[in-house]
Structure formats: C-alpha cells, structure tokens
Amino acid sequence: MIEQLLNGLALGMVYALIAVGYSLVFGVLRLVNFSHGSVYAFGAHMALFFVGLQFGVIPAIVFSIILTGILDILIDKFSLAPLRKKKSKGIAALITTIGIAYIIQNLLMIFFGSQTKPFPAIFDYGYVTVLGISIKSTQLFILVVSLILLAILTYVVKFTKIGLSMRAVEQNQKAASLMGINVNSVIRFTFFLGGASAAIAGSLISGYYQVVYPNMGFLAGLKAFSAAVLGGIGVLYGSIVGGLVVGVSESYAAALLGGSYRDAVAFIILIIVLLFKPTGLFGKKDITKV
Amino acid sequence: MLVVKDLNTHYGNIHALKGIDLEVKEGEIVSLIGSNGAGKSTTLLTITGLLKATRGQVSFKGKDITHASSSDIVHMGLSLAPEGREVFPALTVQENLQLGAYTKKDKASIKESYDRVYDLFPRLYERKKQTAGTMSGGEQQMLAIGRALMTEPKLLMLDEPSLGLAPNLVLLIFDMIQTINKQGTTVLLVEQNANMALSISNRGYVLEIGKVTLSDEAKALSENDKVRKAYLGNIDH
C-alpha cells in the first residue's frame, strides 16, 4: 500500500508541475491553453534529443527547459498575441490552442517518428531507505525535484516584483498598464514559466517510465488540466493539491480496481468535486466591489 | 507642461474625440467638465497612451508623447487615477502602492513616496495589510490617488474622483487634491461635479461631444450662464 502511495505522490507531483502551467496562463489570460499537453511532449522530446547528442541527462533537461519555454513564448507571440490585439473572442484563442496542440504533435512525429522511443532512467539507484521506508530512488528524485520547483514557482509569484506584476495583470490589465507594466512581457514571462515547468515534467516522467512518444501529452495534459480545475484553476497551490489527488487516486485505482480504470478515476473525481464545489477545492469567486 | 493639439481618437467607427486642444501649465489645477459621453475620460486615456490617437499631438514637458508607451509616459512623470478607481482588489493596500512605484528603481525614493502617501492618507496606513477589494469606495479612491502619487508625478490626472462618494468624503478628496497641488504637483481634473471642480481650479475647459466648446478662468466659467445652466444646476444665484 505504501508503495502505491509513493508511486501516486511522484506521479501527482508531475501532474502538479503540468497543472501549474494551465493555472498560470489561465490566471493572466483567462484562457485554457490546450496546447500545454503537447508542449509537455515537446519538452520530453527535446530532452531526448539532447541526450542523443551525448549531452548527459541533466544538461539535456536544462536545454529542454530553455527551448520549451521559448516555444511557449513563440506560441503566444505568433498565435495568441495577434488575437488579443484584435480583441477577438476568447473562444478563438481556445480553438487556436487546440490547433497548436496538433501542429506540435505532428511535427514531433515528422522529426522523431511516431513510435515509442527509449529514454534513459534518471537517478536510478534502485531502492533507498528514507525514515525507515524503502522508496525507489527515481520516485524520490521526482518528489524532491518537483517540490523544489513548485516552491520556487510559488516564491516567484508571491514574493518577487515580476510575480506582483503577474498578479496585477491577472486582476486588472488596464490598471496594470497605467502603472507602467508592460502587459505583453508579463504574459510572455508567464508562458515561459508554463513551458519550462512542462519541460521539467516531461523529462521527469520520461526518465521514470523510460519512454517517449509524440502523443504522450494528450492524456497527461487532460489529467493535469483536471488537476488544475480540481484545485481551482488560477490558484497555484490548488494545482499542487489537485495534482496529488489525481496522482494518488490513479495509483490506488490501478492497484485496487485494475489497470483499465486508472485513467478514468481522475475524471470521476473531477466531476464529483465540481458537482459540490464548482470553483474547485480552493477556487475563489472574483472579488469585485465598486 | 502638457499641450494637447487637435487630438482625435476613434473607438472603431465611432469618432470620440474630434480635435481637442488644451493646455495645462505648471502648478495649475485645470478642470475638464462636460456631460456623460463628452469625451472627458477618452481624452485622459489618450494622453496616457492607453488609447491610440488617430490624429493630433500630445506633448509633455516639451517632448512629443503621442505615440509613447504607457510605461514611458508614467516614467516621465504623468500619472492617472482612473475612473472607477480600478484598484487591484485581491492585493493589499501596500501591494497596490508598490505597483504604483513599478517604474521606479531607487529604493530610497520609493520609501519617500510611501511616507508621502501614508502622510496624506493616514487611513491607508491603518489598512496597509488589508486587501483593496474589501475597503469602502472612499478608501479605494484614496488608494487610487495614492497609487498614482507613488511615481512622484509632475502632472496628476484624476478621472471622476468624487464619483459615488458621500458628500463629506467628496470634500475630503477635494481638500486632498488642493494639498497635493500645493506640494508642487500639477493637476488635471475630470469631474461631473462641475461646481466643486471649478471652485478649486485655476482654469477650466468645457467638453461637448468630442470638442472643446469653452475655455476660461475657472471663476469666469462658473459665472458663465451657459455653463451654469448646463452643468452647475443653479440658475438663480
């Protein structure tokens, strides 16, 4: 049982890393960025690519983080920013992100092939014992790395100047520009953070399951999106809790109900939570007072 | 200090400003009065660069700022407390003020600005840890003005600061505007409450459907029959 829990927590942390990307972008743009799953797959492929060039796993992941962050900036610059400038409806941007998801996925198929490719294990030293519990080193690595990254992200958003400007843009774009904040660069920075955390999630999961394939982002993206909605989209710690709930329940479902239910359970939980709390676990209603 | 020449602004096909000319000199309080939809707010938003001028020129301290970005304009010392306050509701008072000083790098001068704002509005100091959305309308207005003062503007533009406030608060806000002006900040004031606005102003402009139809000393304007009839609502005395 404890093994399932650890497995679920590790998986959940990765979902959380993807979910914060949905949450951050939703925060500043009120947009569900459906290209995010493919961006995650892109991150995994970039890591694979640089591993193939004999860079070593860690430098490969660092390159992947940077490139994937830049990809997300480019997605915004060339497809979403023009729509904002024309003040087009939100649905146009939403459909655009779905289109981009397919473009990325197909480009990955063209350049890397659609088959499943092996990825080297990261930090694999078999089992280690922590506080009397024996845990796979790969799981421990995922847990520690994700925790550190989520802590850094939270610190950036809550306590830095750029984080403050992100929250300002989230609440009132017009007033933010009046303060002299360049709203577009704040949005670009947000996309970079989202892309970077997706790349880390993609690399961690690839190192854990030791496989990479172009549509790996589809299900992972949907589950992470449910995690974000479950926790209350736009709320950072909500995404983390949501990710853990989805990961742990998926892991237990696989063990108790059999593998065929593992993918359904995230969505069942999402539906139940939304029935009782439409804003998600930690979602806030917008405060408006005039 | 601020010179606006033949300013034109469109909202899509709607020609909102049809050639506005106005000038604000250093040290003055200048009022822009007019009814709803006359283009008062549009004028201010175009000056700050939030709306793009389709024709004409805005210059500030001798520099052409017609096509400058909002952040450059704020940095040059021109700031706006917008209509409806537009504070950041989920951020604390202090965070709102911190955002006001967003373009400033120098820590010591940011500290001075906090002191000045808290000095002018002790109420904001009492509530500095409170989120802005939970405050009353009057307190939010103080915050909006305080936030605009954080950049130490040379010219402060206020859009309808008295809107929706109780009469005693209106008096307090207008008192503050005069204090801020005496401390050396030039003020461009947009108001529906023309009586109050003209009573503290040096000069005034009357706007009607996108054009300046009258401009004069504030005292002369408040004695002008047409103005009294249209905007002041007291024809008898």
Side-chain angles (χ1 to χ4, degrees), chain A residues 94 188 241:
Chain A
L94 188 84
R188 278 198 287 276
V241 175

Side-chain angles (χ1 to χ4, degrees), chain A residues 158 160-162 164-165 167-169 171-182 186 284 287-290, chain B residues 45 48 50 70-71 74 80 82 85-91 95 98-100 102-104 133-135 140 147:
Chain A
K158 290 275 175 214
T160 64
K161 194 172 173 184
I162 179 81
L164 183 63
S165 63
R167 285 183 287 151
V169 170
Q171 289 173 41
N172 190 335
Q173 282 200 14
K174 180 181 154 195
S177 351
L178 279 176
M179 303 300 106
I181 295 172
N182 183 336
V186 171
K284 286 168 281 196
I287 310 165
T288 41
K289 191 177 176 190
V290 181
Chain B
L45 289 175
T48 56
L50 227 57
S70 291
S71 65
V74 173
L80 168 69
R85 293 112 200 185
E86 307 263 5
V87 295
F88 301 105
L91 300 184
E95 284 171 326
Q98 197 184 337
L99 281 162
Y102 186 80
T103 54
K104 285 214 293 198
T134 61
M135 300 201 303
Q140 289 190 20
R147 193 179 58 177

Side-chain angles (χ1 to χ4, degrees), chain A residues 33-54:
Chain A
N33 173 19
F34 277 115
S35 71
H36 199 55
S38 291
V39 168
Y40 153 87
F42 177 87
H45 280 76
M46 283 304 112
L48 178 73
F49 175 70
F50 286 111
V51 165
L53 292 179
Q54 310 296 329

Side-chain angles (χ1 to χ4, degrees), chain A residues 185-203:
Chain A
S185 35
V186 171
I187 292 172
R188 278 198 287 276
F189 179 75
T190 308
F191 269 92
F192 182 86
L193 282 185
S197 40
I200 294 163
S203 310

Side-chain angles (χ1 to χ4, degrees), chain A residues 5-230:
Chain A
L5 180 68
L6 289 171
N7 186 34
L9 287 176
L11 205 57
M13 283 310 243
V14 175
Y15 287 146
L17 270 179
I18 312 175
V20 292
Y22 282 106
S23 210
L24 287 171
V25 168
F26 185 85
V28 294
L29 288 183
R30 292 289 175 271
L31 165 74
V32 179
N33 173 19
F34 277 115
S35 71
H36 199 55
S38 291
V39 168
Y40 153 87
F42 177 87
H45 280 76
M46 283 304 112
L48 178 73
F49 175 70
F50 286 111
V51 165
L53 292 179
Q54 310 296 329
F55 270 93
V57 175
I58 301 298
I61 294 177
V62 172
F63 279 124
S64 161
I65 292 169
I66 296 167
L67 280 181
T68 312
I70 293 173
L71 171 76
D72 237 7
I73 292 178
L74 294 179
I75 291 175
D76 177 59
K77 187 173 165 70
F78 290 108
S79 65
L80 300 173
L83 291 176
R84 283 200 296 280
K85 207 172 174 191
K86 286 186 178 163
K87 301 201 187 334
S88 62
K89 292 215 167 69
I91 190 84
L94 188 84
I95 306 247
T96 302
T97 64
I98 295 175
I100 290 189
Y102 282 101
I103 293 171
I104 294 173
Q105 223 178 81
N106 284 297
L107 284 175
L108 289 178
M109 283 182 194
I110 291 169
F111 287 104
F112 291 90
S114 55
Q115 73 279 20
T116 302
K117 295 160 285 286
F119 193 92
I122 305 174
F123 207 72
D124 189 2
Y125 301 112
Y127 282 83
V128 288
T129 308
V130 182
L131 304 170
I133 301 164
S134 138
I135 173 173
K136 268 190 212 162
S137 65
T138 48
Q139 287 177 345
L140 187 67
F141 181 71
I142 290 187
L143 278 170
V144 171
V145 170
S146 324
L147 263 179
I148 294 171
L149 288 169
L150 291 169
I152 293 175
L153 269 180
T154 309
Y155 176 81
V156 167
V157 172
K158 290 275 175 214
F159 300 106
T160 64
K161 194 172 173 184
I162 179 81
L164 183 63
S165 63
M166 281 168 74
R167 285 183 287 151
V169 170
E170 192 176 320
Q171 289 173 41
N172 190 335
Q173 282 200 14
K174 180 181 154 195
S177 351
L178 279 176
M179 303 300 106
I181 295 172
N182 183 336
V183 172
N184 267 325
S185 35
V186 171
I187 292 172
R188 278 198 287 276
F189 179 75
T190 308
F191 269 92
F192 182 86
L193 282 185
S197 40
I200 294 163
S203 310
L204 287 176
I205 271 293
S206 305
Y208 185 58
Y209 289 127
Q210 298 177 26
V211 289
V212 167
Y213 49 100
N215 56 1
M216 64 188 280
F218 178 71
L219 210 51
L222 271 185
K223 283 183 197 162
F225 173 59
S226 342
V229 176
L230 186 64

